[in-house]
Amino acid sequence: MNSTKSTKSATSTTSTYSLRTLTRRAALVAVAGAAAFVLAACGGDGDGTDSGSGAHNAQDVSFAQGMIPHHRQALEMARLADGRAASEAVKDLAARVEKAQDPEIRTMTGWLEQWGEDAPESADGMDHSASHSGMPGMMGGEDMAELEKSEGKAFDTRFLALMVEHHEGAVKMAGVEKSKGRYGPATAMADDIVTAQNAEIGEMNKLLGKSRG
């Protein structure tokens, strides 16, 4: 009789011990998991390795600061088409450039403000000097002056030739952002720029081919 009671008591003690051990292990696992989560969230803030959609790096800043004036010049060129272009196709293209790039300028300006970075000044009285000479596809003051003086078919040809070069520069800049940028919305915009402007380059080259026929 005593032997049976001792066996039951031992079994009960063993079960209680096992339950406590499992509970303790579960708690330790939970703590370890929470610590790992915190470390993962904090890691990369200073070393540029965090790939979270809300993180950004120096390339994202460079992309926005460079693409804003690049887009602004494209808008300036596009607005010259009204009253100067002879081709409806050129007028339509210019309108589409303005419709696409103006909102992108506002978006990129918002990013820079959010990041506490300087945004390029307004395009009013835009300087086409050497300050942007190293930027792919940017027109110099002489090119812009000649475009402003052109009208009719001469304007169409010059506009298309300059805009092809300008778009090729934007595609190159966007390609760098796609490969080196970290901020999700910026790399997505870069991808859109590559797709849209490559398509427009093809369209403009066809128009140039017809006009030179």
Side-chain angles (χ1 to χ4, degrees):
M1 189 73 174
N2 291 337
S3 176
T4 301
K5 288 182 178 180
S6 297
T7 301
K8 289 182 178 179
S9 176
T11 301
S12 177
T13 300
T14 301
S15 298
T16 301
Y17 174 78
S18 298
L19 180 60
R20 288 176 179 174
T21 301
L22 290 172
T23 301
R24 187 179 296 109
R25 287 178 179 173
L28 289 173
V29 169
V31 170
F37 177 80
V38 171
L39 289 173
C42 295
D45 284 349
D47 62 10
T49 60
D50 184 4
S51 59
S53 62
H56 72 280
N57 61 11
Q59 168 56 38
D60 299 315
V61 175
S62 178
F63 170 70
Q65 289 179 333
M67 194 62 79
I68 287 172
H70 202 277
H71 271 19
R72 282 175 176 163
Q73 189 177 71
L75 294 185
E76 188 178 354
M77 294 167 67
R79 287 164 183 159
L80 291 175
D82 186 24
R84 290 180 174 82
S87 168
E88 289 301 320
V90 170
K91 292 179 182 178
D92 177 67
L93 174 69
R96 282 185 279 128
V97 167
E98 187 171 354
K99 183 178 180 181
Q101 298 193 25
D102 195 32
E104 288 178 344
I105 290 172
R106 292 195 297 270
T107 297
M108 289 184 285
T109 300
W111 293 341
L112 291 170
E113 291 173 352
Q114 175 186 333
W115 300 334
E117 302 285 349
D118 293 332
E121 296 181 1
S122 172
D124 294 339
M126 189 172 182
D127 180 14
H128 303 289
S129 65
S131 60
H132 297 302
S133 61
M135 196 179 298
M138 286 290 280
M139 300 297 106
E142 186 176 341
D143 290 321
M144 293 299 298
E146 288 297 323
L147 186 62
E148 289 175 1
K149 294 175 184 177
S150 302
E151 292 184 3
K153 291 184 178 180
F155 174 87
D156 294 346
T157 300
R158 184 176 294 275
F159 173 84
L160 292 169
L162 292 177
M163 193 61 84
V164 165
E165 184 178 347
H166 201 271
H167 272 27
E168 287 173 345
V171 168
K172 183 177 181 179
M173 293 165 66
V176 174
E177 171 62 16
K178 285 179 63 177
S179 64
K180 297 183 179 180
R182 189 202 310 174
Y183 187 57
T187 56
M189 179 184 287
D191 189 55
D192 289 342
I193 288 172
V194 170
T195 300
Q197 297 203 21
N198 270 333
E200 289 176 351
I201 288 169
E203 179 182 347
M204 289 187 287
N205 280 329
K206 287 181 180 179
L207 290 171
L208 281 169
K210 291 178 180 178
S211 66
R212 291 172 179 173

